[in-house]
Amino acid sequence: MSDTARENIMRKLAAAVAHRPAQIPETGALPVPALCQAEKVEQLKHFMQSVRGEVHVVKPKDWVSRLQDLLRPRALKTLLYGPATPHGKTLAAGWPPEDPGLPRLVPYAAPVEDFKSELFQLDAGITGTLGAIAENGALILWPTPEEPRLISLVPPIHIALVDAANIYCNFSDALTAGSWKAGMPTNALLISGPSKTADIELTLAFGVHGPREVLVLVLET
Amino acid sequence: MAETTGFDFAKNIRHALGDQQLRKNFKFAMGSMIQKRRLVFADEDEFEQLRAIGQAIRTRALAKLPELLAQLEARCTENGIQVHWAETTAEANATILEIMQRHGATRMVKGKSMVSEEMHLNHFLEARGIEVTETDLGEFIIQLAGETPSHIIVPAIHKNKEQIARLFHGKIPDTPYTEKVEELNAIARRTLRQKFFDGQVGLSGVNMAVAETGTLCLVENEGNGRMCTTVPPVHIAVMGLEKVVEKLSDVPPLLRLLTGSATGQLISTYFNMITSPRRPGEKDGPREVHLVILDNGRSRILTDPQFRQTLQCIRCGTCLNHCPVYTRIGGHAFGHVYPGPIGEILTPQMEGLREAGVLATASSLCCACEAVCPVKIPIPGLIRELRNASYTAHPTGRVPGEGFKRNLPETLAWKAWEKINRAPALNAVVTRLAGLMGDKAPRLGPLKIWSRYRTPPRVARRSLHTMTRAQGVDDE
């Protein structure tokens, strides 16, 4: 069925565009604003906070202890992480093994089929990022085998680490600078804040299906 | 007109206009969506520049459509996505059912997709014993209510929180009555979490598909789209064949236009770009990804260079928000999947003028839709083309059902009008007669209907022509 469908559709389309307009308009581009790193951090913070994201700028060596300070008042039981990532290793190395005030680290080490029941019970997840976008306050996530997709989706709190040097002025800039088209990952993501909806009377409410809190640590040297 | 079309538009309109609650809900919602959009496109020059880019991207994609779809198919296949083609909605439905049956799957979780509405997929699958759960909050609400979307972006906008509170209380087991929006959201979250957990197949739409890389892009705020495309072992994406764009670099400007126009956001909470099923070593994500590419009349729309512009649409819904007719009658009155200005041009072309040509009459031609369209579709111009097409068949046959409204009295009346206006002497006589008798003429037929709620214009005793001549202005 589908082979014939394909042929029929393609034949109709080819006939339809046979007399295409001679001039296909030139696609312009908006200028990329030239921002310095501090400005980019400021913009990211501004846009993230405007949709209830929480942003903290920290020194790279301090992020684990800062994270602990941020998590203590939240009284979480578990924190999901990718144990084989560089930041996962740093996290595990800096995490006290038996501190009742801090969540227990849970590695995402098995395929989801063997891990799903536990995964859906966890309190928070931490991921790295490929960077962020100043123009709209979005984080760029590029999940890997070491840091799977569901860490940033299923637990109610998502913690993300952003290297301030990797904040791009806009999305186009990020695509070009990272040569994305040369090799797209299974799933690239932009995340601009906690999950939200306005489907009931346009009343904005946070935390529908994805995380209700997004906590960003910007590592600034 | 009811005898020539499958639904009674006039009756729907009367019904909608009489529903005070519905009118209040829409008036409030459309007003605030207009405000939000205005804030995000506050810089008019920048917006004009941006939408010129959007229009160029979409025009280029349509001009190259067959080669871009072939490229998309090739890239997707290399990436491990299985591509299926469907000429009709029936074929698309059958393809999806076959995939589900192959996996012995009986539970589907579904992200928001207008194409799946076009296919009436839920109805089709449910009739074959498959449980389909809509997971976008708005879609979830209307599924519980057994209704269809009334808006393409905010499908349950016709309901207020009291109505939703009653619905949840009545339809979801062990649910107390609450009108608090936060609590209603929490109820939906709790109910749907289990569905995501148990889902065997996830279905989504596609906002744009990138030919260059074989990437499927999805825009959403809730996270249900990511759930549907990440948790179940199989993901099926459905797209109208016009949704392809050529390059990855086409994505950022279109995304900006889409989220700005749709919800007044700089960017949605999530922008999800899917390029392959789970790769070796990866721990989650579906093991199979399918892409169903649907025609359903689009290839015919592409044929005509003018009507082709309909396919530039990125389904932002901003023309609905800005339409004075839509705002007063809401989406259901349109009786078809796509309401509002875009529906007025898209539906008659898909379903034919006999079935849906009447939709093109639901416009005051105020041109607000054209002024805000992020890809510059000349909607009012196309509405007029379709109105004309209902009376006059085009030599190459552009729209099904062309000329179906053609009738002898109207044809004769216009022929007479033409004759009178071509012959100056005849024109002079008729104009004088009109001045003398015009106001006394009986109001019959369409004129009677028209003047039922409107004050008929008074015919001047003397024509402008005579008056200016009397003032000494020459003919030339």
Side-chain angles (χ1 to χ4, degrees):
Chain A
M1 177 180 69
S2 81
D3 273 357
T4 0
R6 184 191 190 280
E7 281 164 30
N8 290 344
I9 291 171
M10 281 301 192
R11 197 189 56 245
K12 284 191 260 181
L13 292 178
V17 298
H19 50 90
R20 69 173 61 163
Q23 291 283 315
I24 296 171
E26 199 62 43
T27 316
L30 288 183
V32 181
L35 303 172
C36 70
Q37 185 172 306
E39 288 170 320
K40 288 191 273 191
V41 171
E42 252 339 283
Q43 268 201 25
L44 177 70
K45 231 173 128 171
H46 168 76
F47 286 125
M48 269 262 157
Q49 287 171 346
S50 71
V51 289
R52 221 189 270 184
E54 198 177 314
V55 183
H56 301 273
V57 181
V58 295
K59 296 255 184 308
K61 64 176 176 49
D62 297 338
W63 73 263
V64 178
S65 63
R66 185 63 174 277
L67 179 64
Q68 292 173 357
D69 295 343
L70 291 166
L71 293 188
R72 276 183 201 281
R74 287 176 163 88
L76 309 172
K77 287 198 194 66
T78 45
L79 173 60
L80 176 65
Y81 79 118
T85 58
H87 46 271
K89 287 175 185 159
T90 313
L91 180 77
W95 213 254
E98 298 281 335
D99 187 333
L102 285 176
R104 172 174 62 85
L105 293 185
V106 178
Y108 198 145
V112 66
E113 287 76 7
D114 305 325
F115 184 53
K116 203 158 137 190
S117 300
E118 192 182 350
L119 173 69
F120 271 68
Q121 302 302 322
L122 301 176
D123 294 336
I126 181 167
T127 70
T129 61
L130 203 68
I133 299 168
E135 184 191 57
N136 52 27
L139 308 171
I140 305 167
L141 267 78
W142 207 319
T144 58
E146 292 74 37
E147 197 167 80
R149 293 157 72 170
L150 292 172
I151 301 184
S152 64
L153 180 64
V154 175
I157 300 179
H158 174 211
I159 300 144
L161 304 170
V162 177
D163 188 334
N166 296 335
I167 305 176
Y168 301 92
C169 292
N170 66 17
F171 188 13
S172 302
D173 187 23
L175 289 181
T176 326
S179 317
W180 286 34
K181 68 176 178 189
M184 290 292 284
T186 303
N187 182 210
L189 287 160
L190 303 186
I191 300 178
S192 67
S195 149
K196 60 178 182 286
T197 185
D199 273 351
I200 300 178
E201 291 193 0
L202 298 182
T203 307
L204 194 58
F206 289 89
V208 206
H209 302 302
R212 61 177 151 74
E213 269 188 75
V214 171
L215 231 158
V216 181
L217 298 177
V218 178
L219 312 186
E220 198 175 47
T221 36
Chain B
M1 249 152 283
E3 74 279 4
T4 50
T5 58
F7 78 112
D8 191 340
F9 197 24
K11 192 176 144 201
N12 290 356
I13 292 171
R14 272 197 303 278
H15 182 74
L17 289 177
D19 186 338
Q20 291 303 316
Q21 185 64 56
L22 181 113
R23 292 186 63 173
K24 213 172 112 189
N25 294 356
F26 272 100
K27 189 178 176 193
F28 163 75
M30 298 305 104
S32 60
M33 290 184 80
I34 289 173
Q35 289 306 325
K36 278 197 203 157
R37 176 198 163 276
R38 195 171 290 162
L39 289 175
V40 84
F41 292 130
D43 183 338
E44 248 178 67
D45 291 341
E46 193 196 56
F47 175 64
E48 284 307 322
Q49 232 180 315
L50 197 56
R51 70 183 197 137
I53 296 171
Q55 183 194 27
I57 290 170
R58 294 298 300 139
T59 312
R60 168 159 49 79
L62 294 176
K64 296 181 175 179
L65 199 51
E67 58 193 273
L68 293 188
L69 284 170
Q71 192 188 6
L72 177 71
E73 181 187 36
R75 288 288 110 71
C76 282
T77 310
E78 282 166 26
N79 299 341
I81 297 176
Q82 301 174 44
V83 179
H84 311 264
W85 300 79
E87 285 189 86
T88 61
T89 57
E91 277 183 19
N93 284 332
T95 303
I96 291 169
L97 180 66
E98 196 189 299
I99 297 168
M100 295 211 56
Q101 284 171 340
R102 200 182 326 132
H103 289 274
T106 54
R107 293 184 303 273
M108 171 185 276
V109 279
K110 209 165 153 265
K112 193 168 160 28
S113 151
M114 287 310 294
V115 169
S116 74
E117 295 288 342
E118 190 181 319
M119 291 156 55
H120 304 290
L121 176 67
N122 295 6
H123 180 76
F124 174 85
L125 290 178
E126 280 161 3
R128 282 148 189 86
I130 288 171
E131 180 203 86
V132 183
T133 308
E134 292 284 356
T135 63
D136 169 85
L137 180 59
E139 294 279 351
F140 176 67
I141 293 167
I142 58 169
Q143 189 184 30
L144 278 182
E147 294 176 7
T148 54
S150 61
H151 189 289
I152 65 174
I153 298 295
V154 275
I157 200 63
H158 57 289
K159 290 202 176 302
N160 62 12
K161 56 177 186 260
E162 290 79 16
Q163 295 167 316
I164 295 164
R166 275 200 301 277
L167 186 68
F168 278 18
H169 178 58
K171 292 281 173 84
I172 306 172
D174 308 320
T175 303
Y177 181 90
T178 173
E179 289 179 8
K180 292 205 180 76
V181 173
E182 292 277 353
E183 287 174 15
L184 290 168
N185 283 334
I187 294 165
R189 177 183 169 105
R190 203 177 51 237
T191 311
L192 291 171
R193 274 257 145 169
Q194 193 58 42
K195 299 286 181 191
F196 291 129
F197 188 86
D198 294 333
Q200 295 164 308
V201 171
L203 186 122
S204 76
V206 175
N207 290 99
M208 10 180 165
V210 185
E212 183 177 47
T213 55
T215 300
L216 312 177
C217 304
L218 277 133
V219 176
E220 57 140 346
N221 283 313
E222 295 182 6
N224 66 309
R226 286 185 65 198
M227 285 281 188
C228 292
T229 58
T230 319
V231 180
V234 180
H235 167 210
I236 305 173
V238 289
M239 67 176 255
L241 53 73
E242 82 281 17
K243 278 283 152 58
V244 67
V245 295
E246 186 176 7
K247 302 177 214 164
L248 200 57
S249 60
D250 291 337
V251 169
L254 279 188
L255 175 64
R256 171 99 195 277
L257 283 165
L258 176 57
T259 61
S261 304
T263 47
Q265 289 175 286
L266 269 177
I267 185 165
S268 48
T269 302
Y270 301 112
F271 185 59
N272 187 354
M273 307 175 83
I274 295 163
T275 306
S276 74
R278 190 191 305 191
R279 293 175 190 170
E282 291 180 339
K283 296 185 184 67
D284 56 21
R287 293 194 183 275
E288 268 183 37
V289 177
H290 297 264
L291 173 65
V292 180
I293 301 176
L294 174 68
D295 183 344
N296 194 30
R298 289 167 171 82
S299 57
R300 193 186 49 235
I301 299 175
L302 189 72
T303 312
D304 184 78
Q306 240 185 321
F307 284 132
R308 177 187 294 180
Q309 297 171 94
T310 314
L311 299 177
Q312 282 166 219
C313 179
I314 56 172
R315 302 284 189 271
C316 70
T318 205
C319 60
L320 280 58
N321 305 344
H322 288 79
C323 178
V325 177
Y326 176 87
T327 302
R328 280 161 184 81
I329 65 175
H332 287 155
F334 289 83
H336 293 80
V337 174
Y338 301 101
I342 186 63
E344 288 162 33
I345 58 171
L346 182 60
T347 312
Q349 296 184 69
M350 277 181 159
E351 310 273 329
L353 289 166
R354 196 174 290 276
E355 154 65 21
V358 66
L359 291 176
T361 63
S363 171
S364 64
L365 299 178
C366 74
C367 296
C369 50
E370 187 175 11
V372 295
C373 177
V375 289
K376 298 173 88 165
I377 303 173
I379 299 176
L382 297 179
I383 287 176
R384 292 166 67 167
E385 284 287 327
L386 287 166
R387 288 180 181 180
N388 290 343
S390 292
Y391 287 94
T392 321
H394 195 267
T396 55
R398 302 191 297 173
V399 192
E402 273 180 342
F404 85 99
K405 268 184 169 178
R406 197 182 170 87
N407 59 66
L408 194 62
E410 275 189 72
T411 312
L412 287 178
W414 287 113
K415 275 268 181 256
W417 186 87
E418 186 191 336
K419 283 259 182 308
I420 291 165
N421 279 284
R422 281 179 153 194
L426 195 56
N427 192 3
V429 172
V430 173
T431 310
R432 187 161 320 142
L433 279 175
L436 291 171
M437 333 240 300
D439 289 333
K440 298 184 188 85
R443 314 229 170 269
L444 298 169
L447 199 58
K448 186 176 168 194
I449 299 169
W450 191 86
S451 57
R452 197 185 297 158
Y453 303 110
R454 299 175 182 87
T455 315
R458 304 282 307 258
V459 183
R461 295 298 295 270
R462 295 200 301 158
S463 72
L464 182 66
H465 196 111
T466 5
M467 286 194 287
T468 44
R469 188 178 289 169
Q471 283 173 18
V473 181
D474 279 342
D475 261 357
E476 293 305 312

